[in-house]
Amino acid sequence: MRFLLSGALLFSTALGTAVPRAEQKVDYTGFKVLRLKLPNTKQNIQGRIEKLAAHVLNPGKEALDIVVSPDNLEDIKALVPESVVINEDVGAALAEEGELKSADFSVAAVPSETWFTAYHPYADHLTFLSDLQGGFPTQSEIFTAGTSVQGRALTGIHIWGSGGKGSKPAILIHGTVHAREWISTMTTEYFAWQLLTKYASDATVKSLVDKFDYYIIPAVNPDGFVYSQTTDRLWRKNRQTVSTSTCVGRDINRNWPFKWEVTGGASTSPCSETYKGQAAGDAPENKGLVAQVNSLRDGKGIRLYLDIHSYGQYILWPYGYDCSLVVHNSAQLRSIATSAAAAIRTVSGTTYTIGPSCSTLYATTGSSVDYIDATGNSTYSYTWELRDTGTYGFVLPASQIQPTVRETWV
Ligand SMILES: *[C@@H]1O[C@H](CO)[C@@H](O)[C@H](O)[C@H]1NC(C)=O
Ligand SMILES: [Zn+2]
């Protein structure tokens, strides 16, 4: 929101106040999503595109999706050889996404499946977790993995089976590292909900829960998530400031202390959507997550890591930082991803692209999958990009929550 943000800054300067401004919610009426075909001399225009775009969405290999205001549309189109409008009106897509719905938590009870028919305010997600946990107190507990920039606890649920708490290798699952990827909060919560509510009645679930200890954090970027609900629906990063810039936020998924210093897979500009931070692991969220990963590694070890994102329908594995490297268990990672993609296609017809992260999508440094593979010693490590392929992008309609969480659970 480069130009809208600078408008807001001028406003607060005119008032001559240092008090945090009550930011107006960003209005995306008339904004379009464009898929840009990039010329070969990509570096030269990337910066200009970033300046003109309201947001850079998920970049692909030769294409880049951006949100652009009506005023900047023609200037952007002129920069690239080809562009296609993939969403005519982001404001209308937001209306179709559905209002945030507060759930009825008046009586503490295990949440019902209707939870997965709407998006919810952040506070309700915490209640969802504690109500779910409250229904299964002998095989789950709420944990926190550190604290965000603004002091919110990174809150998760730990689930175990017949072997008792902490007796088995870990399956670690993160959602909503990128604030705007709301479907990932719902999907990771669905995993937790299924594991607990189906344990007694479903033999497959029981065997899965008896075999591993699950650590599920549905929103590892709570500040960004709240900001995406109150102010800018398309916010991605955390809410950390730097003294050298008025731009806010580090990309938590470019800040992990593994190959952070390698160039080409993150930005050194605080205004970029992929700003890596000033030093490896210097985001408070990363500090907490790193500590938990290391402690799980040093305990029973990590068997599987899933970092759930949207959008694009990809299942990706290490490495992000170097496109020529082949991870030692590449064949197994590919075989599992192939089965997962086939299972999803069978239930719903949704198609996934699979492959090593860097060569399949784009280079990323300081990413969670690389850290948790290499330093966390996780047997398997995946980045998962949920629905869709760009029609709605991050603002997937509420009517697609249940189909998405169900196919992904399968
Ligand atoms: C990594 O995990 C394997 C089991 O998957 C274990 O045998 C090995 O000791 C672990 N290494 C470290 C350094 O933790
Ligand atoms: Zn993401």
Side-chain angles (χ1 to χ4, degrees):
M1 284 330 305
R2 219 94 42 221
F3 82 99
L4 287 180
L5 185 62
S6 57
L9 288 172
L10 285 176
F11 181 70
S12 71
T13 309
L15 285 176
T17 171
V19 176
R21 60 193 183 274
E23 285 176 293
Q24 268 199 324
K25 196 157 186 172
V26 177
D27 180 2
Y28 283 106
T29 306
F31 283 52
K32 293 184 194 302
V33 178
L34 286 188
R35 181 158 292 172
L36 307 178
K37 192 163 181 184
L38 298 174
N40 297 333
T41 52
K42 179 164 130 186
Q43 292 309 338
N44 301 335
I45 63 156
Q46 195 103 13
R48 283 152 78 193
I49 292 172
E50 282 192 23
K51 281 210 179 67
L52 286 167
H55 275 290
V56 174
L57 305 177
N58 279 8
K61 274 181 93 170
E62 286 124 18
L64 185 67
D65 293 354
I66 59 158
V67 172
V68 62
S69 72
D71 292 346
N72 290 346
L73 187 62
E74 293 311 317
D75 289 350
I76 291 248
K77 281 180 166 174
L79 285 175
V80 294
E82 207 179 308
S83 62
V84 190
V85 176
I86 59 171
N87 193 307
E88 284 289 347
D89 185 355
V90 177
L94 283 170
E96 199 174 331
E97 181 182 42
E99 294 289 314
L100 284 177
K101 280 212 180 75
S102 289
D104 178 13
F105 287 123
S106 52
V107 181
V110 173
S112 78
E113 193 158 3
T114 57
W115 173 258
F116 303 98
T117 59
Y119 296 102
H120 309 281
Y122 176 65
D124 285 9
H125 288 280
L126 297 177
T127 312
F128 169 89
L129 282 184
S130 59
D131 281 0
L132 177 62
Q133 192 279 328
F136 304 91
T138 60
Q139 60 175 139
S140 66
E141 86 184 4
I142 298 294
F143 68 88
T144 63
T147 310
S148 70
V149 173
Q150 295 171 343
R152 292 185 177 90
L154 275 57
T155 306
I157 186 165
H158 174 192
I159 297 167
W160 61 84
S162 57
K165 177 181 161 186
S167 61
K168 297 289 192 275
I171 290 185
L172 176 64
I173 303 175
H174 289 166
T176 332
V177 59
H178 294 139
R180 59 199 179 188
E181 298 166 7
W182 289 5
I183 188 63
S184 71
T185 333
M186 305 306 295
T187 303
T188 47
E189 286 171 349
Y190 191 72
F191 293 166
W193 185 82
Q194 285 283 60
L195 291 170
L196 285 170
T197 62
K198 302 290 157 61
Y199 180 82
S201 60
D202 183 322
T204 307
V205 172
K206 182 174 185 326
S207 74
L208 284 171
V209 175
D210 287 345
K211 223 168 168 176
F212 304 104
D213 275 61
Y214 294 78
Y215 301 82
I216 301 175
I217 312 181
V220 301
N221 176 12
D223 298 349
F225 188 41
V226 167
Y227 191 75
S228 76
Q229 298 195 328
T230 59
T231 310
D232 183 353
R233 175 64 190 84
L234 295 178
W235 188 256
R236 169 183 168 100
K237 299 184 285 182
N238 76 358
R239 294 295 300 161
Q240 197 166 359
T241 54
V242 280
S243 59
T244 52
S245 172
T246 54
C247 289
V248 175
R250 280 162 171 66
D251 184 342
I252 296 171
N253 201 31
R254 299 292 185 280
N255 190 250
W256 289 80
F258 176 75
K259 302 294 174 186
W260 177 89
E261 65 291 342
V262 173
T263 57
S267 176
T268 53
S269 160
C271 297
S272 166
E273 304 270 16
T274 58
Y275 177 48
K276 57 160 58 177
Q278 292 175 306
D282 71 349
E285 293 84 357
N286 290 78
K287 291 191 207 303
L289 296 170
V290 162
Q292 193 198 25
V293 166
N294 295 353
S295 124
L296 293 175
R297 174 198 63 200
D298 298 341
K300 293 282 187 273
I302 305 174
R303 187 59 48 84
L304 169 69
Y305 172 65
L306 297 176
D307 196 5
I308 310 289
H309 294 245
S310 70
Y311 58 91
Q313 298 170 196
Y314 291 97
I315 303 171
L316 305 167
W317 57 83
Y319 291 99
Y321 78 97
D322 185 332
C323 293
S324 63
L325 280 182
V326 178
V327 66
H328 73 94
N329 59 344
S330 165
Q332 285 166 297
L333 285 160
R334 179 178 296 279
S335 147
I336 293 168
T338 302
S339 305
I344 291 175
R345 200 164 51 243
T346 306
V347 269
S348 60
T350 304
T351 56
Y352 269 79
T353 304
I354 68 167
S357 166
C358 182
S359 54
T360 307
L361 198 52
Y362 43 76
T364 52
T365 52
S367 77
S368 63
V369 269
D370 284 4
Y371 181 88
I372 294 168
D373 170 273
T375 309
N377 193 33
S378 181
T379 313
Y380 305 109
S381 183
Y382 292 100
T383 301
W384 195 293
E385 302 279 356
L386 296 164
R387 290 191 192 189
D388 56 14
T389 55
T391 308
Y392 293 100
F394 301 116
V395 296
L396 201 64
S399 61
Q400 287 199 41
I401 298 172
Q402 272 184 315
T404 304
V405 302
R406 285 175 181 164
E407 73 189 8
T408 313
W409 165 252
V410 168

